[in-house]
Amino acid sequence: MPAISASNATTFPHPEGVAGELDWPQPVAPWRLPVLLLGVVAGAALQLQQPGLWSAGAYAALLCAALVVGWCGVAASRPRRPGAVLHARGRAAAAVLVPLAGAMAMAAVSGLRATAYLQQGLDPTLEWQDIRVTGVVSAMPQTNEAGTRLRLEVLSARLQGNLVQLPPRIEVAWYGGAFVRDAGDAVDLQRQPAPVRAGERWEMTVRLKAPHGLRNPHGFDFELWTWERGVQATGYVRAGPKDEPPRRQATTWQHPVEQARQSVRDAILDRLGRGADEASDPGRARIAGVVAALVTGDQRAIDLEADIKVENWASL
């Protein structure tokens, strides 16, 4: 084979007319991704500081502007000619434009998501109305001496026979025994809650309201708590003698993780707390709740005031 010499090497005309070796593509600047992620985090944090949401059109315009700024940042981070050295001014411009684009895009997407979420809220005209709801239990129910608390994914809702639109997820309490319907009404006896399991489809009559919390400084923000869990309406089940009783329709395959968590929790409470209650053996019942909380994450199974030290120790 003939020896490969410099005279046999392939050359290409240089843009400026000087013959040069083959120019390989320049590698992507490694710093662009970190600064982009930094801008994304900053954009989400800034959007959360808004005292009020903009319109969907304003967030859409911000997203379009973010795309333009991002294109300019990518263009500024590339040399004008293959093989050329990126100018310092180009690097500086890209270092500003890339995180700015990430911040603008994340703020716009977060705002659009929040706007869409608010549009799914409970209609004020449906508050405190007797609504017949069909839904699937999406989380393991929480049971105490007052009754059972359920989180439902709404499938359908009717008000006086007419279809109405409810938020996709609601949380209701099913009380048992004596219960005051509304302020000024007489005490009414409610049907005792039936055993409820995650994944079951139920039909029941409920009264709902939009979530609202107290305005105490540095206190528990109930409205934020429901927002984080996607719950946009809370209320209670109407299970009095004059109300249409709740009915279990079917057991579904939905929410298998919650079904498994509930099975483990119930097994722990049955094994450790069998035959014990708060009156006869409060220590044994408390231990059963603590173990169930540590294993399944069901913090409502424990007495927070009595076991706050145990819970804090376990979180370390």
Side-chain angles (χ1 to χ4, degrees), residues 1-5 8:
M1 294 179 61
I4 299 178
S5 61
N8 295 328

Side-chain angles (χ1 to χ4, degrees), residues 227-266:
W227 176 288
E228 293 173 346
R229 286 153 182 78
V231 176
Q232 295 178 279
T234 60
Y236 61 91
V237 179
R238 298 294 298 269
K242 299 180 181 179
D243 299 315
E244 186 176 356
R247 291 197 299 266
R248 180 190 291 107
Q249 293 186 342
T251 300
T252 70
W253 56 268
Q254 301 181 52
H255 308 288
V257 175
E258 291 296 324
Q259 294 185 40
R261 290 180 64 207
Q262 184 174 358
S263 298
V264 173
R265 182 195 65 179
D266 293 347

Side-chain angles (χ1 to χ4, degrees), residues 290 293-294 297-300 302-316:
V290 171
L294 294 177
D298 181 18
Q299 297 183 3
R300 299 187 190 182
I302 65 176
D303 183 359
L304 292 180
E305 294 183 359
D307 302 302
I308 188 67
K309 294 183 180 179
V310 176
E311 185 182 7
N312 290 340
W313 173 83
S315 64
L316 296 178

Side-chain angles (χ1 to χ4, degrees), residues 15-291:
E16 296 181 356
V18 180
E21 299 292 337
L22 177 62
D23 292 324
W24 297 97
Q26 294 293 318
V28 178
W31 51 266
R32 285 198 305 207
L33 182 58
V35 298
L36 176 63
L37 295 178
L38 182 62
V40 167
V41 174
L46 290 175
Q47 195 280 325
L48 291 176
Q49 305 306 315
Q50 284 190 282
L53 292 175
W54 298 342
S55 64
Y59 286 117
L62 181 62
L63 182 59
C64 293
L67 295 177
V68 174
V69 173
W71 180 86
C72 294
V74 172
S77 63
R78 292 178 177 177
R80 296 184 180 180
R81 299 187 304 272
V85 178
L86 182 62
H87 199 275
R89 286 182 296 181
R91 288 195 298 267
V96 174
L97 294 177
V98 170
L100 178 60
M104 294 171 62
M106 191 61 190
V109 172
S110 300
L112 287 173
R113 175 67 183 91
T115 302
Y117 182 84
L118 283 182
Q119 292 176 353
Q120 299 175 349
L122 180 65
D123 188 342
T125 60
L126 298 178
E127 290 191 347
W128 305 116
Q129 300 288 335
D130 292 342
I131 304 175
R132 193 67 178 177
V133 173
T134 300
V136 177
V137 182
S138 61
M140 57 179 179
Q142 309 293 334
T143 304
N144 55 30
E145 62 277 2
T148 303
R149 180 166 293 276
L150 311 171
R151 187 173 299 168
L152 297 175
E153 287 186 353
V154 178
L155 301 178
S156 64
R158 292 182 177 273
L159 176 61
Q160 299 178 353
N162 300 318
L163 285 173
V164 293
Q165 186 69 33
L166 290 184
R169 186 174 299 174
I170 63 175
E171 187 164 307
V172 294
W174 186 349
Y175 298 106
F179 176 68
V180 179
R181 289 176 177 264
D182 296 302
D185 289 352
V187 176
D188 193 8
L189 293 178
Q190 302 290 298
R191 298 181 179 90
Q192 291 297 325
V196 182
R197 300 194 63 83
E200 293 180 342
R201 185 170 68 247
W202 279 79
E203 180 184 358
M204 57 184 63
T205 303
V206 300
R207 278 191 177 182
L208 301 173
K209 65 180 183 66
H212 297 292
L214 301 177
R215 300 190 58 146
N216 297 337
H218 311 293
F220 176 70
D221 193 337
F222 177 74
E223 190 170 355
L224 177 61
W225 184 85
T226 57
W227 176 288
E228 293 173 346
R229 286 153 182 78
V231 176
Q232 295 178 279
T234 60
Y236 61 91
V237 179
R238 298 294 298 269
K242 299 180 181 179
D243 299 315
E244 186 176 356
R247 291 197 299 266
R248 180 190 291 107
Q249 293 186 342
T251 300
T252 70
W253 56 268
Q254 301 181 52
H255 308 288
V257 175
E258 291 296 324
Q259 294 185 40
R261 290 180 64 207
Q262 184 174 358
S263 298
V264 173
R265 182 195 65 179
D266 293 347
I268 293 174
L269 295 178
D270 180 68
R271 179 65 63 88
L272 299 181
R274 183 180 301 166
D277 53 36
E278 290 295 337
S280 62
D281 193 353
R284 186 175 176 183
R286 183 179 302 122
I287 291 174
V290 171
V291 174

